[in-house]
Amino acid sequence: MSVHVIGAGLAGLAAACLLTESGRHVIVSESAPAAGGRARSYFDKILDCRVDNGNHLLLSGNLAALNYLNRLGARRALTGPASAVFPFYDFTTSRHWTLRLNDGRFPWWVLRRRHRVPGTRALDYLALNRLRRARPHDILGTILPRNNPLTRNFLEPLAISALNTMPDEAACGPLQAVLEETMALGGAASLPRYARIGLSETFIDPAVDWLRTHGATLHFGRRVTVLDANMPTILAVPPWVAAELVPGLVVPDQFESICNLHFKASIPPGEAGFWGFTGGLSEWAFARPELLSVTISAANRYAALDNAEIAARVWAELGQAFTLPAAIPAHRVLWERRATILGTPEQQTRRPRAITANPNLVLAGDWTDTGLPATIEGAIRSGNEAATILMKLPE
Ligand SMILES: Cc1cc2nc3c(=O)[nH]c(=O)nc-3n(C[C@H](O)[C@H](O)[C@H](O)COP(=O)(O)OP(=O)(O)OC[C@H]3O[C@@H](n4cnc5c(N)ncnc54)[C@H](O)[C@@H]3O)c2cc1C
């Protein structure tokens, strides 16, 4: 019997690939005209080039994501620096600085002043142990040291981008999981990685091609409105859609937005190809050949600002950090209003397991109970888990 995968975001695509590889015939139904969900590229008329719906950063410890790309033969579509370098610019001090992790497990970088966060001492990094020992539902903001340069310049920006939630309401658990699989293993597991060309070219188009080549059936523009309880199905849709399709299913119901700004401008890529920022509105900037793309995470706090004001402020900040013309170039401000679930302890308790009361129906998606924040790694891992569960059903 064919297996149905509903939703062709990363969770659905990962599940479809694993099932197809195991010899099952897979039918993918996606409501949008193309695959990708919240990780997609498209042609932007104002900018006259392809853009991503938002900058996406992975780390080399995101093994499920890397294995997914390996299966598709698309690993080289990711790029990034050869060592774990994170260049930053602080708008309040007008200073560039770079965090440099050493490859191995023992964090020698903490002992080297020029490798660690400015203004910190080696002993400050014991705060990371406190974070590792915190209970998963503890609020991050109560665990991070206050009025401390390590918190302000590194732990907070890291937490906001990884959790897409402000530390004063975020649960510690998902950040602990990220740190255990990356920084705690050393620089080799913390290499920053991002799409060389675009998200669709890296994560989505190779999967669609691979699935077609291996005999799967894909339908785009097909919105599923009812489930057949007797069909083996992986439901890989956003939580609010899953709740409509599965009566009684408890799902996360609070979300955080991400704002991305693409400017038709270029800067030299520097050592890493991206920068982190502190003390301003902008949080991360990626230098593309034709585009300068800025991310602002946990952006609900800026919902009252209009796009023109955000663009002007971000452009002024970029002008402080880099040599750029004063006049704002062609640009696009993109809001993903429900970019991810809100990472509060209460929302964590609403993340369902993959299995449901019906053995034929399995859930996938970055919002399910993966233990990780809502990320590419979490989405792919959830798809893998859902496929593994369904593969145990008799054919
Ligand atoms: C702006 C932005 C920046 C991000 N940055 C990062 C980052 O730096 N690093 C990182 O790891 N993660 C990042 N993420 C998160 C990452 O994009 C998501 O975790 C991941 O894409 C989620 O994949 P998914 O398959 O779980 O869900 P989705 O991508 O939401 O896929 C669900 C799919 O189901 C389809 N669907 C909905 N209803 C139906 C229906 N009734 N029938 C059929 N199909 C349906 C949708 O169209 C969609 O394609 C970011 C997200 C955003 C929005």
Side-chain angles (χ1 to χ4, degrees):
M1 197 188 291
S2 299
V3 177
H4 289 261
V5 173
I6 304 173
L10 281 162
L13 291 173
C17 289
L18 215 59
L19 285 162
T20 301
E21 195 177 55
S22 78
R24 301 288 180 112
H25 177 243
V26 175
I27 301 173
V28 179
S29 300
E30 164 58 50
S31 59
R38 279 171 285 147
R40 62 186 188 281
S41 316
Y42 66 93
F43 186 81
D44 187 289
K45 284 190 186 144
I46 291 184
L47 300 167
D48 192 30
C49 64
R50 271 175 78 76
V51 300
D52 289 342
N53 70 315
N55 296 316
H56 280 61
L57 187 69
L58 288 106
L59 296 175
S60 49
N62 295 155
L63 296 183
L66 297 185
N67 288 335
Y68 165 89
L69 293 176
N70 281 340
R71 171 176 295 113
L72 305 174
R75 176 81 172 260
R76 290 174 65 81
L78 276 187
T79 187
S83 60
V85 286
F86 295 84
F88 277 88
Y89 181 83
D90 186 340
F91 293 117
T92 50
T93 60
S94 300
R95 202 175 145 193
H96 282 278
W97 59 276
T98 300
L99 185 76
R100 293 178 191 279
L101 277 58
N102 55 287
D103 281 354
R105 238 184 141 109
F106 188 82
W108 295 109
W109 61 276
V110 164
L111 305 177
R112 298 193 179 119
R113 197 171 53 82
R114 290 182 54 204
H115 287 219
R116 61 186 186 231
V117 178
T120 60
R121 297 161 308 151
L123 282 178
D124 292 338
Y125 292 78
L126 291 176
L128 287 168
N129 285 340
R130 191 160 168 230
L131 174 56
R132 286 174 86 174
R133 285 198 309 268
R135 286 167 303 180
H137 282 191
D138 284 344
I139 297 287
L140 189 57
T142 65
I143 302 295
L144 301 182
R146 294 200 179 261
N147 303 322
N148 176 297
L150 180 65
T151 301
R152 178 190 175 274
N153 293 335
F154 182 57
L155 295 177
E156 262 182 18
L158 174 78
I160 293 170
S161 57
L163 307 178
N164 196 30
T165 302
M166 294 304 287
D168 59 5
E169 56 178 347
C172 284
L175 186 64
Q176 291 170 320
V178 171
L179 291 174
E180 288 307 318
E181 295 177 14
T182 56
M183 278 182 71
L185 301 179
S190 313
L191 304 176
R193 290 289 174 260
Y194 50 90
R196 190 185 295 277
I197 297 177
L199 287 172
S200 290
E201 289 82 353
T202 304
F203 291 100
I204 310 302
D205 301 346
V208 170
D209 291 346
W210 189 95
L211 285 167
R212 286 208 170 109
T213 313
H214 289 78
T217 307
L218 291 97
H219 299 286
F220 296 111
R222 181 191 273 191
R223 176 177 298 280
V224 173
T225 53
V226 62
L227 300 178
D228 181 338
N230 299 314
M231 289 283 189
T233 302
I234 291 181
L235 189 58
V237 295
W240 57 93
V241 181
E244 278 169 23
L245 292 172
V246 185
L249 182 68
V250 173
V251 297
D253 56 1
Q254 289 184 295
F255 302 91
E256 254 294 0
S257 45
I258 298 181
C259 179
N260 260 270
L261 298 96
H262 296 297
F263 295 95
K264 194 88 184 177
S266 60
I267 51 171
E271 205 175 344
F274 67 88
W275 283 263
F277 298 112
T278 53
L281 195 60
S282 317
E283 284 165 1
W284 298 93
F286 283 73
R288 301 278 181 192
E290 305 182 59
L291 283 181
L292 183 47
S293 299
V294 174
T295 300
I296 306 170
S297 300
N300 287 357
R301 62 202 147 130
Y302 302 123
L305 300 181
D306 70 32
N307 284 351
E309 183 180 352
I310 292 184
R313 281 175 58 180
V314 167
W315 186 250
E317 288 180 348
L318 293 171
Q320 184 185 337
F322 309 106
T323 308
L324 287 166
I328 189 164
H331 59 277
R332 172 75 77 182
V333 182
L334 290 172
W335 283 88
E336 288 272 6
R337 298 283 176 192
R338 289 190 279 192
T340 69
I341 57 172
L342 187 67
T344 56
E346 189 261 336
Q347 290 295 302
Q348 294 301 315
T349 63
R350 298 179 68 91
R351 297 175 76 174
R353 306 264 315 273
I355 49 170
T356 67
N358 174 357
N360 276 324
L361 178 66
V362 186
L363 304 175
D366 64 353
W367 53 275
T368 58
D369 188 15
T370 61
L372 293 172
T375 51
I376 289 180
E377 177 70 6
I380 291 177
R381 221 183 270 187
S382 77
N384 291 347
E385 189 194 349
T388 307
I389 293 170
L390 264 199
M391 282 189 295
K392 290 182 186 142
L393 284 182
E395 286 197 46

